[in-house]
Amino acid sequence: MHVLLRIDETQGDAPQWRAALSAAAPEVTWHSESAIAESLAREIEVAVVANPPPGALSGFPQLKFVQSLWAGVDRLLEDPTMPKHLVLARMVDPALGAAMAETALWATLSLHRGFFRYAQQQAHGQWKHLPQPCAHQVRVTVLGMGEMGRAVADRLVSQGYQVHGWRLGVGKADGRTDDSRIRVELGKESLKPLLAQTDIVLNLLPLTSQTRGLIDREFLYALPSGAALVNLARGGHLVDADLIGALNNEQVSHAVLDVFTTEPLPIGHVFWQHPRVTVLPHAAAITNPETAAQVVAHQLRVWRSGQPVAHQVERGRGY
Ligand code: NAP
């Protein structure tokens, strides 16, 4: 079986990916070379990709199935050259959810206990206690109760936080978690009342036409004054200027941002230097080559057996 592999060769982990995929699926001949002979390109039916640039999948007339190495497929869906008939599957790997839950716990704990503020106090040689509420007094809202949101909500509730989830309510996942302490609200109408009862909001929504720009001035001012924002999903969810305004007015006390409209975050962007913004380099949950390669190998075997592959993206919905 010939499979096209399109990963970002400028990232240092490309050799690790090739080794992990070859080990997990030794029956596959992987093609990661940039120029592929026309005769072979005409035969290729399957591609494995990591957030490829627009046009990376054109020139393969028999392409039928694309497996993403990333959980988010918004960039693929926005590529006008991507044929609409392709089966597109997202990366769903428990290791990714576990990593996301760790990042969410670090951010939530740091905000709840004032650890970002203590770091600032240290920089100024300040010795001062901050309020220390119990975890059960901290109201956390998780936007999106899919693979990532559920892993995050489960971890936070097990740490004692008051956790609410929010989701569209028409999707594939039933949004339920095993933990009855997590209350899940559905649909647009429930968002504002939920935000009004939130101390820390964590974004784990997919980027779609409905969610782009959702975190704007109206959203941020629906939160109680002094609430905090954690964006671990996509930069396109956030209106940067509205967040900066809300931070400067102390409507938002702190923001933890892992994802940005332009990545890498441009040098000189106000987020880099803002005293109440913590910047991560899109590292909340990085796909692990060893575990993800096993997921890919399984998906390829399912595809070859003629069965429907798991985690297919519904284009109409955009996730
Ligand atoms: P997913 O499994 O597809 O889950 C999406 C969730 O969002 C579902 O609960 C869905 O509702 C809900 N949703 C979709 N549109 C909505 C809307 N308009 N209003 C309310 N809820 C809506 O996605 P995932 O794998 O958890 O990924 C979540 C996000 O994390 C994505 O943006 C992905 O790109 C990002 N991510 C980031 C990193 C990182 O390192 N920063 C790593 C991995 C993933 P239903 O339940 O009703 O369908």
Side-chain angles (χ1 to χ4, degrees):
M1 185 188 197
H2 293 277
V3 174
L4 178 70
L5 181 58
R6 284 284 176 257
I7 44 180
D8 186 351
E9 297 290 331
T10 64
Q11 300 278 328
D13 59 1
Q16 205 187 340
W17 272 112
R18 281 194 291 272
L21 288 165
S22 301
E27 72 279 18
V28 169
T29 308
W30 297 94
H31 295 280
S32 56
E33 60 275 20
S34 53
I36 289 188
E38 214 182 307
S39 54
L40 178 62
R42 275 201 300 269
E43 270 181 45
I44 284 190
E45 293 188 5
V46 178
V48 173
V49 303
N51 206 31
L57 296 178
S58 50
F60 300 93
Q62 294 302 321
L63 195 61
K64 294 185 177 68
F65 168 40
V66 177
Q67 170 66 53
S68 172
L69 294 175
W70 282 35
V73 289
D74 38 287
R75 189 166 171 185
L76 280 165
L77 292 175
E78 282 166 12
D79 180 351
T81 68
M82 267 272 288
K84 300 277 179 279
H85 65 269
L86 290 183
V87 171
L88 174 59
R90 307 181 315 113
M91 174 51 62
V92 174
D93 176 0
L96 205 56
M100 187 60 89
E102 287 165 1
T103 304
L105 177 59
W106 158 80
T108 304
L109 255 176
S110 304
L111 292 164
H112 152 214
R113 292 289 310 276
F115 295 138
F116 296 125
R117 285 177 64 195
Y118 283 129
Q120 281 169 18
Q121 288 185 189
Q122 181 181 350
H124 296 99
Q126 252 185 330
W127 182 279
K128 188 180 148 204
H129 283 170
L130 295 170
Q132 202 171 101
C134 299
H136 71 83
Q137 295 171 309
V138 180
R139 302 164 300 176
V140 180
T141 291
V142 179
L143 305 177
M145 288 295 280
E147 300 298 329
M148 297 296 135
R150 290 203 307 277
V152 164
D154 283 342
R155 179 65 64 91
L156 294 179
V157 87
S158 73
Q159 292 298 132
Y161 291 103
Q162 254 185 71
V163 180
H164 267 89
W166 182 70
R167 69 185 189 98
L168 191 56
V170 297
K172 56 205 164 188
D174 64 7
R176 258 186 259 131
T177 74
D178 293 336
D179 201 316
S180 58
R181 291 171 294 178
I182 302 169
R183 305 240 322 264
V184 180
E185 306 288 343
L186 305 183
K188 211 173 170 186
E189 299 307 311
S190 63
L191 182 59
K192 267 198 173 175
L194 183 56
L195 292 176
Q197 305 292 320
T198 297
D199 300 310
I200 300 172
V201 58
L202 291 107
N203 177 33
L204 285 158
L205 288 167
L207 186 62
T208 67
S209 55
Q210 285 187 46
T211 63
R212 184 178 290 279
L214 179 81
I215 307 175
D216 61 1
R217 191 178 189 286
E218 195 184 340
F219 177 108
L220 295 168
Y221 280 81
L223 291 162
S225 173
L229 170 72
V230 181
N231 188 15
L232 305 176
R234 284 291 180 265
H237 289 126
L238 176 66
V239 180
D240 291 5
D242 289 357
L243 175 62
I244 293 161
L247 284 163
N248 292 343
N249 289 339
E250 311 222 342
Q251 166 61 19
V252 172
S253 57
H254 198 98
V256 177
L257 306 176
D258 180 54
V259 285
F260 304 91
T261 313
T262 305
E263 294 184 3
L265 182 64
I267 291 166
H269 193 290
V270 65
F271 287 154
W272 279 119
Q273 299 300 336
H274 199 290
R276 285 184 288 110
V277 175
T278 300
V279 169
L280 297 177
H282 199 143
I286 299 171
T287 318
N288 176 307
E290 277 68 42
T291 56
Q294 297 298 332
V295 174
V296 172
H298 178 73
Q299 289 275 78
L300 296 181
R301 284 174 199 136
V302 172
W303 174 262
R304 270 217 304 196
S305 74
Q307 299 298 308
V309 292
H311 315 304
Q312 290 190 29
V313 174
E314 285 189 29
R315 278 158 195 270
R317 236 176 26 197
Y319 67 100

